[in-house]
Amino acid sequence: TNQNDGVFKVMLVGESGVGKSTLAGTFGGLQGDSTHEPENPEDSYERRIMVDKEEVTLVVYDIWEQEDAGGCLRDHCLQTGDAFLIVFSVTDRRSFSKVPETLLRLRTERPHHDLPVILVGNKSDLARSREVSLEEGRHLAGTLSCKHIETSAALHHNTQELFEGAVRQIRLRRSRG
Ligand code: GDP
Ligand code: MG
């Protein structure tokens, strides 16, 4: 055991524009007003939350796209995440097609860990511009052995479920030792 046992670190990864920062903002308690960008987007949000009657400290990191020489931040992200949320937009097939490559990268960096990964199809509110169906998302997640959820960061739909789900996945791995 160590002092970080009660701190769960979740990394938002995925292509630009899919809604990572907006999702992070919903966790951080910002208003999900899609007409305004958050004025002070942060690169991590820490909150104590109750999941299944047990409190945890959850830290959500939105650092995947930050520029830094040599990609140290991304490596740091890969090394320290307890769970990864691979986000794509259901309105952007290109972002969906990048998922396997991103997951492979995570699993290559952490080959000895059974990493909790959740595939997140965001922007589920944009029904008319949808390019990836719920079934396709589910199917890919099944193929890649990860969980799947659709969210709307704009409407706060399924966002709480997403972060609670990440906590449950991490707990499951830890309880197995
Ligand atoms: P990031 O590049 O992955 O961090 O994506 P952002 O969080 O910056 O979002 C990109 C754009 O998509 C912004 O204009 C957001 O307001 C919008 N957006 C994010 N999530 C949603 C969503 O669930 N529904 C809708 N309609 N728009 C969203
Ligand atoms: Mg962003």
Side-chain angles (χ1 to χ4, degrees), residues 14-24 33-38 62 65 87 122-126 151-156:
E15 299 301 296
S16 184
V18 297
K20 298 182 299 299
S21 299
T22 311
L23 280 168
D33 179 350
S34 60
T35 61
H36 295 97
E37 303 301 322
D62 179 26
E65 286 184 71
V87 186
N122 188 44
K123 309 199 187 184
S124 63
D125 57 294
L126 297 176
T151 57
S152 167
L155 302 182
H156 290 209

